[in-house]
Amino acid sequence: NQFELWYQPKYTAGDHSLTGFEALLRWHHPERGMLLPAEFLSALEDTGLIIPVGKWVIQQACLQLHQWKLQGNTEWTLAVNLSPAQFEQHDIIDVVCNALAQYQLSPACLTLELTESTALKNLKRSIEILNAFSALGITVSIDDFGTGYSCLSYLKQLAVDKLKIDQSFIRDMVEDSEDAAIVKAVIQLGHTLDLKVIAEGVEKEDQLALLRTYGVDEIQGYLISRPLTAQDFVACYENQK
């Protein structure tokens, strides 16, 4: 009962309209305070606790979507990260479907994010699982794109809808022409494959300006909003109306 989800909003790059959120896990440690995933994820993975905690995250995310829906925010979507161990679970499709059914949610409101390395670990199984998610109407996004195997041939084999450019490329793209070229190429590649492209880790106005020039679809980062609790975001959102 010490875990909680925080939410970082995602906006369109053009008019800054809200498109959805990414759910981010936090550990409210009784002695050390609020801990970020980097401080405990490896322990969850090493002990196998990532499976029950990951299941809790999916259920909690669907509960939050249900609560937002009751508040009238029916268009909000939520992205959840799947760990490699979760993705390899034989019942991962049932886990997701049961959570959606429990809270009477449309599959379209949920996005599942997985890394390149997770998707490519067992390509045949990945194709089967992602085809199943796609058939259900669940959005799939490749997270941290550009940091994994980057074997581009896999993209046309997987039923994915979005690419998220890793923040390591966004961080120095204004000063580093090579990073800028990579970002531009990923956006063009994504659009060629009819995929939406998200830039994460956007923290500066000049980064946003360059991303707009390149035609990125959505942005996420501290420039727009830090991760917030659900209550804090709703309060801020209502004040901005």
Side-chain angles (χ1 to χ4, degrees):
N1 296 320
Q2 295 172 8
F3 288 114
E4 58 186 69
L5 291 184
W6 286 37
Y7 304 90
Q8 187 169 35
K10 295 183 285 186
Y11 293 84
T12 59
D15 60 6
H16 284 195
S17 60
L18 181 66
T19 61
F21 302 82
E22 179 180 1
L24 300 167
L25 188 62
R26 298 289 185 264
W27 181 5
H28 198 230
H29 195 284
E31 298 174 357
R32 297 173 58 192
M34 193 65 71
L35 301 182
L36 300 178
E39 299 179 83
F40 60 83
L41 268 187
S42 60
L44 290 180
E45 291 168 352
D46 292 343
T47 59
L49 288 172
I50 192 68
I51 301 300
V53 172
K55 183 176 181 180
W56 175 86
V57 168
I58 292 172
Q59 292 175 326
Q60 191 68 19
C62 288
L63 171 60
Q64 185 59 65
L65 280 167
H66 176 70
Q67 292 173 340
W68 282 335
K69 184 178 178 181
L70 292 178
Q71 295 167 359
N73 302 306
T74 57
E75 301 301 315
W76 289 2
T77 63
L78 188 53
V80 174
N81 293 279
L82 292 183
S83 72
Q86 270 183 291
F87 190 66
E88 291 171 5
Q89 287 295 291
H90 70 280
D91 62 345
I92 183 60
I93 297 173
D94 290 337
V95 168
V96 173
C97 289
N98 290 342
L100 289 169
Q102 180 179 353
Y103 296 106
Q104 300 177 315
L105 297 172
S106 165
C109 67
L110 187 66
T111 296
L112 300 177
E113 295 191 357
L114 63 155
T115 63
E116 284 182 281
S117 54
T118 299
L120 291 179
K121 188 173 182 180
N122 184 339
L123 186 58
K124 182 179 178 181
R125 174 167 164 74
S126 295
I127 291 172
E128 293 175 356
I129 295 175
L130 297 185
N131 281 341
F133 282 139
S134 179
L136 292 167
I138 297 171
T139 299
V140 176
S141 176
I142 298 296
D143 195 15
D144 299 339
F145 187 77
T147 62
Y149 294 103
S150 296
C151 177
L152 300 181
S153 63
Y154 80 89
L155 279 177
K156 66 180 182 180
Q157 300 181 59
L158 296 178
V160 299
D161 307 280
K162 296 183 177 183
L163 299 179
K164 180 180 281 189
I165 306 173
D166 187 70
Q167 59 185 341
S168 62
F169 299 113
I170 305 298
R171 185 181 302 117
D172 299 319
M173 63 179 293
V174 175
E175 296 82 16
D176 190 320
S177 59
E178 291 183 352
D179 279 349
I182 290 172
V183 170
K184 184 177 182 180
V186 171
I187 294 171
Q188 291 175 340
L189 171 68
H191 290 168
T192 299
L193 297 174
D194 200 25
L195 306 175
K196 286 190 174 181
V197 183
I198 305 167
E200 66 176 347
V202 181
E203 299 182 355
K204 301 176 182 178
E205 289 287 353
D206 51 3
Q207 293 171 341
L208 175 57
L210 197 53
L211 287 165
R212 281 175 171 164
T213 300
Y214 294 161
V216 77
D217 299 291
E218 298 177 22
I219 55 171
Q220 176 182 348
Y222 284 9
L223 176 65
I224 308 298
S225 175
R226 292 174 176 267
L228 299 167
T229 64
Q231 295 81 358
D232 286 345
F233 179 80
V234 169
C236 292
Y237 185 73
E238 292 299 324
N239 289 336
Q240 290 172 3
K241 285 185 177 180

